[in-house]
Amino acid sequence: MNKCICTPAGDWLAKGRQALQIEIEGLETVKANLGDSFVRAVELLAECKGRVIITGLGKSGLVGRKLAATLSSTGTASFYLHPVEGAHGDLGMIREEDVVVSISNSGETDELNAVLPAMRSLGASVISLTGGVTSTMARLSDIVINTGVPKEACPLDLAPTSSTTATLAIGDALAACLIEAKAFTAADFKRYHPGGALGQRLTMPIDALILRESDPVVVQNTPLSEALRIMDKGRLGTVVFTDDKGCLTGILTDGDLRRLICKGALDMTQPSSQIMVKDPYRAKKGSSVAELLDFMEEKAITVLPVVEEDGTLCGIVHMHDLLGKGRVKFSR
């Protein structure tokens, strides 16, 4: 019969923090051990012409399922293959252009090691995520990424805790690198996530995110001192300028101000039109959130004016608004 241990709440808090600290130290160890094998794994996965097949047993299998889902949703076709099912016919799904990612903390999982030779005989390359860098699984692999941690967060040092966290993090690191290697964009993400809040957000026309009443907008001949006051009040790190007809003519950002100060070219009494950045980047009303995210990422900007076809300013959007983290919130 299980016994309930009466422990002061403060002690449980300390033990919880201790467990998290052990996991943090495990991640630090894996980070320090990351080397050339990780680079080769990213290159192999990026060049894969087939599918990425994730395999593992027990807790490693659960981590593998998550990694397969992450890769598939970010542009790398992937699926999870149970090693026991593989030994009983499912290896027929493997093609020579595929890459296998095998997961085992010890590297001595019998069921897994039993199918790896067959996978390789079918022409697939094998990447191992393991703490056993000299294990049987490591010897059966083309590339070995060390996911070993000093100890488990489990007080018995038995249950997979720190080791699974480390493996999960390495999987995320691989996925993050592949997103960049494949130039995967927010628009691509939308294609794989047509439902849910994010998919709906990316297809939303930008018109729905324009909030003019509080936007930092002034007429271009406004004295610089007043323009900066409006910029500060707007809290976007930007002030946008228009002509007397309301058409966009310029922009001034915190970065622009910093450069002017460094040059000693800042005169608070001069008209803003003399120092504003003319003909700034802009978005057309009716553009989608996905289009703007791609454009802002390409140009490395966080704020963008939105205009009508004739150049009339409609409003300003911030990157956080597009992602649902700013003034405009989205349901989850």
Side-chain angles (χ1 to χ4, degrees):
M1 181 177 178
N2 293 331
K3 295 181 179 179
C4 179
I5 300 175
C6 295
T7 302
D11 290 350
W12 290 129
L13 184 59
K15 290 179 184 296
R17 287 174 173 164
Q18 180 184 31
L20 289 175
Q21 183 59 39
I22 291 171
E23 299 225 2
I24 290 170
E25 290 170 1
L27 288 174
E28 290 289 352
T29 299
V30 172
K31 176 183 174 183
N33 288 335
L34 212 60
D36 180 62
S37 62
F38 181 84
V39 176
R40 290 188 292 120
V42 172
E43 292 174 345
L44 179 61
L45 291 169
E47 295 168 0
C48 177
K49 302 301 183 184
R51 293 83 44 83
V52 176
I53 300 164
I54 317 294
T55 187
L57 198 64
K59 304 299 186 298
S60 294
L62 296 175
V63 171
R65 287 181 173 88
K66 190 273 179 187
L67 175 54
T70 299
L71 290 174
S72 292
S73 69
T74 52
T76 299
S78 178
F79 65 88
Y80 170 78
L81 174 63
H82 195 291
V84 176
E85 298 296 335
H88 290 273
D90 281 2
L91 290 186
M93 293 186 286
I94 297 178
R95 301 290 180 266
E96 63 179 356
E97 63 268 23
D98 295 340
V99 175
V100 173
V101 177
S102 181
I103 304 174
S104 169
N105 185 41
S106 67
E108 299 296 347
T109 304
D110 292 337
E111 298 90 341
L112 193 54
N113 291 335
V115 296
L116 286 181
M119 290 177 169
R120 297 193 69 179
S121 71
L122 292 169
S125 301
V126 177
I127 299 170
S128 281
L129 307 185
T130 181
V133 293
T134 60
S135 64
T136 302
M137 188 175 81
R139 293 195 298 272
L140 292 171
S141 305
D142 299 288
I143 299 172
V144 179
I145 298 178
N146 186 357
T147 60
V149 296
K151 63 180 297 186
E152 300 288 2
C154 163
L156 302 176
D157 198 23
L158 295 174
T161 45
S162 302
S163 58
T164 47
T165 298
T167 305
L168 190 67
I170 286 292
D172 287 343
L174 288 170
C177 290
L178 289 172
I179 288 172
E180 292 200 23
K182 297 186 174 187
F184 190 81
T185 67
D188 296 321
F189 193 88
K190 178 193 64 176
R191 292 169 57 201
Y192 298 120
H193 298 75
L198 182 56
Q200 294 169 15
R201 183 187 314 161
L202 292 173
T203 58
M204 179 184 295
I206 196 60
D207 311 37
L209 304 184
I210 297 172
L211 300 178
R212 278 301 306 274
E213 62 272 11
S214 60
D215 283 345
V217 179
V218 296
V219 177
Q220 61 186 12
N221 291 326
T222 301
L224 180 58
S225 58
E226 175 63 13
L228 295 187
R229 188 188 69 78
I230 297 298
M231 175 192 285
D232 182 61
K233 185 178 179 181
R235 297 185 178 182
L236 291 179
T238 299
V239 60
V240 172
F241 302 98
T242 66
D243 59 21
D244 294 335
K245 296 181 180 179
C247 291
L248 176 68
T249 57
I251 196 170
L252 195 64
T253 68
D254 285 336
D256 298 325
L257 284 173
R258 183 174 63 252
R259 287 182 283 273
L260 287 169
I261 292 172
C262 290
K263 293 178 181 178
L266 199 62
D267 180 355
M268 300 296 286
T269 63
Q270 65 185 321
S272 300
S273 57
Q274 294 182 9
I275 63 167
M276 69 183 186
V277 176
K278 298 179 180 180
D279 193 26
Y281 293 130
R282 66 197 66 195
K284 292 291 181 65
K285 188 177 179 181
S287 301
S288 71
V289 168
E291 291 173 329
L292 265 63
L293 279 172
D294 283 345
F295 181 78
M296 294 171 80
E297 181 180 15
E298 176 189 351
K299 302 300 182 183
I301 56 177
T302 58
V303 178
L304 192 64
V306 180
V307 299
E308 300 276 6
E309 288 293 334
D310 63 359
T312 303
L313 181 68
C314 300
I316 306 171
V317 291
H318 192 282
M319 178 74 78
H320 287 171
D321 294 327
L322 303 184
L323 296 173
K325 298 179 180 179
R327 298 170 296 181
V328 180
K329 303 296 182 182
F330 298 86
S331 59
R332 294 185 182 276

